[in-house]
């Protein structure tokens, strides 16, 4: 069920290959999840502005909704470089004093709007269908950057639509993205606790809890490595998970090791995937591939 991938360019000189490498790995795993596909890709920039990717509400005029959203965002900071592809509005905005207030305003401007990603480096695109469909609509292979993760989904317990697709953004925490294969068995208990604290959930997908959990950990001052350690105690179930921030990529695997995950590290790259075929089909070279063990977690910095 489901396929997850991650890729980091260790050289800092192969930005042109990022989108193609992540897409190539996802294509090899397409048979694991035909329902939806998505990527979270990270550009290398010194620009302080944030990039927002916003899913526009269905059954409304996209142009009218976009105008309302841009007007709402413009009350917080200067907005620039807006564009629309399919159901996504993309724009850049100066860093506001309160990220959550910006998100609330944007999502209230047109009912059904969802901020899919926000960050200086991060851009998430995802949609129903195969990785090939994702490429046809958004030309993922042309994205230049440092690292990224991807997901192809087989729906087992929640509906098939853009919101339930992965990767998930850590809503409210810029530049955090998560792709997960598995099942969080204490999801409902954890969700009730978060909802009592006023945290909004956008889906019925148990994978969303991981993004919310990690956002809370990182917001509380923990490192990604510490957050992975805490996951082993606080989240029940079987899971393999790849995570990316503006400066790191990594994975964490549960104590039962029921969900497959493999990785390879060379002088040039780090690559993570559900199956070895994803690595071999997308990344040429003579390198060893290792299977992640129970309770193992690893992180790498760009």
């Amino acid at each position: 069920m489901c396929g997850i991938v991650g890729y980091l360019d260790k050289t800092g000189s192969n930005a042109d290959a990022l989108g193609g490498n992540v897409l190539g790995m996802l294509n090899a795993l397409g048979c694991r999840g035909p329902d939806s596909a998505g990527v979270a890709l990270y550009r290398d920039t010194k620009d302080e502005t944030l990039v927002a990717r916003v899913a526009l509400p269905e059954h409304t005029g996209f142009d009218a909704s976009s105008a309302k959203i841009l007007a709402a965002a413009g009350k917080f900071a200067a907005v620039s470089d807006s564009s629309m592809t399919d159901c996504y509005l993309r724009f850049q905005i100066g860093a506001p004093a309160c990220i959550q207030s910006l998100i609330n305003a944007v999502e209230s401007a047109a009912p059904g709007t969802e901020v899919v990603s926000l960050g200086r480096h991060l851009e998430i695109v995802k949609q129903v269908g195969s990785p090939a469909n994702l490429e046809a609509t958004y030309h993922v292979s042309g994205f230049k950057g440092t690292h990224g993760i991807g997901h192809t989904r087989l729906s087992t317990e929640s509906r098939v639509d853009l919101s339930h697709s992965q990767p998930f953004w850590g809503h409210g925490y810029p530049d955090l993205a998560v792709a997960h294969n598995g099942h969080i068995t204490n999801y409902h208990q954890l969700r009730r606790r978060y909802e009592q604290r006023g945290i909004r959930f956008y889906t019925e997908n148990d994978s969303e809890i991981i993004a919310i959990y990690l956002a809370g950990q990182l917001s509380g001052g923990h490192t990604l490595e510490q957050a992975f350690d805490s996951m082993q105690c606080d989240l029940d179930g079987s899971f393999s998970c790849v995570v990316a921030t503006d400066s790191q990529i990594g994975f964490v695997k549960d104590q039962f090791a029921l969900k497959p995950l493999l990785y390879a590290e060379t002088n040039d790259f780090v690559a993570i995937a559900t199956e070895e075929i994803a690595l071999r089909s997308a990344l040429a070279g003579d390198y060893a591939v290792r299977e992640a063990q129970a309770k193992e977690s690893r992180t790498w910095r760009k």
Side-chain angles (χ1 to χ4, degrees), residues 43-117:
R43 60 189 180 131
D44 191 18
T45 180
K46 294 185 176 5
D47 194 338
E48 293 298 322
T49 60
L50 302 174
V51 176
R53 285 271 187 177
V54 180
L56 300 171
E58 298 179 0
H59 313 303
T60 62
F62 286 167
D63 289 336
S65 296
S66 294
K68 293 178 182 178
I69 290 165
L70 292 173
K75 295 178 181 179
F76 291 83
V79 173
S80 62
D81 294 333
S82 63
S83 61
M84 190 163 50
T85 304
D86 196 45
C87 66
Y88 277 96
L89 171 66
R90 179 191 186 276
F91 61 89
Q92 292 183 237
I93 184 170
C98 179
I99 293 289
Q100 192 58 54
S101 295
L102 168 65
I103 295 168
N104 293 343
V106 166
E107 293 183 338
S108 298
T113 297
E114 179 183 345
V115 178
V116 174
S117 67

Side-chain angles (χ1 to χ4, degrees), residues 74-300:
K75 295 178 181 179
F76 291 83
V79 173
S80 62
D81 294 333
S82 63
S83 61
M84 190 163 50
T85 304
D86 196 45
C87 66
Y88 277 96
L89 171 66
R90 179 191 186 276
F91 61 89
Q92 292 183 237
I93 184 170
C98 179
I99 293 289
Q100 192 58 54
S101 295
L102 168 65
I103 295 168
N104 293 343
V106 166
E107 293 183 338
S108 298
T113 297
E114 179 183 345
V115 178
V116 174
S117 67
L118 184 70
R120 288 181 57 222
H121 305 268
L122 168 66
E123 297 196 44
I124 291 178
V125 290
K126 52 186 180 177
Q127 67 176 179
V128 172
S130 67
N133 290 345
L134 195 72
E135 167 70 356
T137 305
Y138 300 106
H139 190 45
V140 172
S141 62
F143 192 97
K144 301 177 182 180
T146 54
H147 59 295
I149 64 175
H151 186 277
T152 182
R153 181 180 182 223
L154 175 66
S155 174
T156 56
E157 59 179 46
S158 57
R159 66 179 181 268
V160 177
D161 61 13
L162 185 150
S163 289
H164 285 76
S165 305
Q166 296 190 49
F168 282 119
W169 174 47
H171 277 279
Y173 192 92
D175 290 308
L176 171 65
V178 172
H180 165 242
N181 176 30
H183 181 53
I184 307 301
T185 54
N186 61 338
Y187 158 73
H188 293 287
Q189 179 187 47
L190 292 171
R191 176 168 177 153
R192 285 193 296 271
R193 292 178 184 174
Y194 282 114
E195 287 178 330
Q196 288 169 358
R197 290 158 47 187
I199 293 176
R200 176 186 174 184
F201 283 73
Y202 291 76
T203 75
E204 301 297 325
N205 189 324
D206 65 317
S207 301
E208 187 182 8
I209 200 76
I210 300 174
I212 290 172
Y213 176 88
L214 289 175
Q217 290 284 313
L218 297 176
S219 296
H222 296 92
T223 65
L224 185 58
E225 292 82 0
Q226 290 169 333
F228 282 168
D229 289 341
S230 296
M231 277 182 65
Q232 300 286 1
C233 299
D234 296 336
L235 273 61
D236 295 335
S238 59
F239 53 84
S240 288
C241 182
V242 290
V243 179
T245 69
D246 60 339
S247 60
Q248 288 183 278
I249 191 171
F251 70 81
V252 58
K253 196 169 182 179
D254 74 279
Q255 62 181 324
F256 304 109
L258 297 178
K259 299 298 181 181
L261 195 68
L262 302 100
Y263 67 95
E265 180 175 10
T266 72
N267 291 331
D268 296 327
F269 65 81
V270 173
I272 308 162
T274 304
E275 294 184 40
E276 185 171 353
I277 190 175
L279 306 180
R280 300 296 184 190
S281 63
L283 305 169
D286 182 15
Y287 53 86
V289 176
R290 181 176 180 271
E291 183 168 6
Q293 300 301 297
K295 298 188 71 172
E296 183 176 358
S297 62
R298 294 283 303 271
T299 62
W300 295 266

